[in-house]
Amino acid sequence: MEFSFKDAYLYNWQELYYFELENDMCLDAFHILNNNIENSLKSTKQEFTKLIDQDSFLSNLNENDKSKYYSQIYYREELALLNLQRLQRYSLCLSLFSFFEGRLKSICSSLELEFHLKKKVKELAAPDDLSKYWDYLDKVFKMKMNTFKSEFSIIKKIKLVRNLVAHNEGFLDKIMKNRLDSIIGISFTEIENRYRIEIAENIFIDFLLSQMSFCLSKISISINNRCKDIAIKN
């Protein structure tokens, strides 16, 4: 991301500096982790392909015997690689939501203490954690939310993917599939009467990281502006 002086601002609440610093460090770490995972998967797949290509016994068989031989010798490992890919990408999706929700909880709790807000984060009723933190920043801290409303809504929709991964091994029915069809970087494998989520290489995680990064940055700026307003009124 390129730095522009027009994006720079003075902190009206020093805690924001540390909030942003930790956000940036963690997001960078997730980018590195994602690349490491994909490079490792790519290397493992290449080694598997090379092993098959160098199998002289397999190459000399007729097509019918090749299929039987492959099924007995290599098919199990092929399935293991596909499951490894799915599990690693699923795990990164889960970790990203754990990070994002943790950062929102942290900043809401810090605001509660710093500004002696009467309404506590834990007291707020909401259908899910993301909605709770949104409502706290919007209705309790009363900061402007319009600059990242669309991106936050996208993250909330993607959390449906996270929930299916966490609680249903990525399986879903056709109705839910139709709800998630528009999400960038996912596809679906049809298995009998249901579907399973497949996460595409880099695309989904990079997109999710970009949405989270944008929201955290805008939240920081909005909190800073709200802190300035509070200081002026006092």
Side-chain angles (χ1 to χ4, degrees):
M1 180 184 295
E2 291 187 9
F3 174 77
S4 171
F5 281 105
K6 70 179 181 180
D7 297 325
Y9 58 90
L10 296 174
Y11 293 96
N12 295 300
W13 180 40
Q14 194 60 33
E15 184 70 21
L16 277 177
Y17 168 78
Y18 300 104
F19 176 68
E20 286 191 351
L21 180 63
E22 187 166 349
N23 291 343
D24 290 343
M25 289 191 300
C26 288
L27 289 166
D28 286 346
F30 275 117
H31 275 294
I32 294 169
L33 178 59
N34 185 38
N35 287 333
N36 288 345
I37 286 173
E38 293 304 328
N39 287 337
S40 176
L41 284 170
K42 185 178 180 180
S43 177
T44 304
K45 289 176 185 177
Q46 288 173 341
E47 289 175 9
F48 180 61
T49 301
K50 184 178 179 181
L51 180 66
I52 295 170
D53 290 343
Q54 293 179 345
D55 189 333
S56 57
F57 184 78
L58 174 63
S59 62
N60 289 321
L61 293 173
N62 61 51
E63 289 304 315
N64 186 49
D65 289 337
K66 273 185 181 180
S67 177
K68 293 177 181 178
Y69 178 82
Y70 185 92
S71 296
Q72 292 177 3
I73 305 300
Y74 295 115
Y75 187 58
R76 187 183 183 91
E77 187 171 350
E78 178 187 321
L79 291 180
L81 287 176
L82 289 173
N83 278 294
L84 175 64
Q85 173 179 285
R86 182 183 297 113
L87 290 172
Q88 287 189 322
R89 292 173 182 173
Y90 278 7
S91 295
L92 194 50
C93 174
L94 295 174
S95 296
L96 272 170
F97 274 97
S98 178
F99 155 75
F100 187 68
E101 292 183 356
R103 299 308 293 146
L104 294 180
K105 180 180 180 180
S106 175
I107 197 64
C108 287
S109 298
S110 295
L111 290 169
E112 176 188 307
L113 293 172
E114 178 70 19
F115 297 97
H116 309 289
L117 301 174
K118 292 181 180 179
K119 191 77 172 180
K120 308 301 180 187
V121 180
K122 64 182 180 181
E123 296 172 350
L124 215 59
D128 56 77
D129 286 341
L130 288 179
S131 297
K132 178 168 66 176
Y133 302 135
W134 175 276
D135 288 347
Y136 197 82
L137 294 172
D138 181 28
K139 298 175 183 177
V140 180
F141 189 59
K142 301 185 184 303
M143 76 178 207
K144 293 181 180 179
M145 312 286 281
N146 58 303
T147 58
F148 58 96
K149 186 174 183 179
S150 174
E151 290 77 11
F152 200 87
S153 295
I154 290 171
I155 292 172
K156 287 186 69 175
K157 184 174 182 179
I158 296 176
K159 193 181 176 182
L160 294 173
V161 173
R162 177 264 172 207
N163 290 343
L164 288 164
V165 166
H167 305 300
N168 208 35
E169 298 181 287
F171 286 105
L172 67 165
D173 59 24
K174 189 172 183 178
I175 295 173
M176 182 61 75
K177 173 189 174 294
N178 292 337
R179 287 184 65 186
L180 303 181
D181 260 337
S182 61
I183 293 176
I184 294 172
I186 64 169
S187 59
F188 306 92
T189 299
E190 187 171 359
I191 304 172
E192 296 180 352
N193 295 323
R194 56 182 182 168
Y195 300 84
R196 195 170 203 182
I197 295 167
E198 303 294 346
I199 295 177
E201 176 182 351
N202 287 329
I203 300 171
F204 172 81
I205 296 298
D206 283 347
F207 177 69
L208 182 54
L209 277 167
S210 71
Q211 300 302 300
M212 289 180 171
S213 177
F214 183 88
C215 284
L216 289 171
S217 176
K218 292 299 182 181
I219 285 170
S220 226
I221 293 170
S222 296
I223 289 174
N224 199 53
N225 291 336
R226 176 64 178 138
C227 290
K228 183 179 180 180
D229 292 340
I230 291 172
I232 291 172
K233 289 177 182 179
N234 292 338

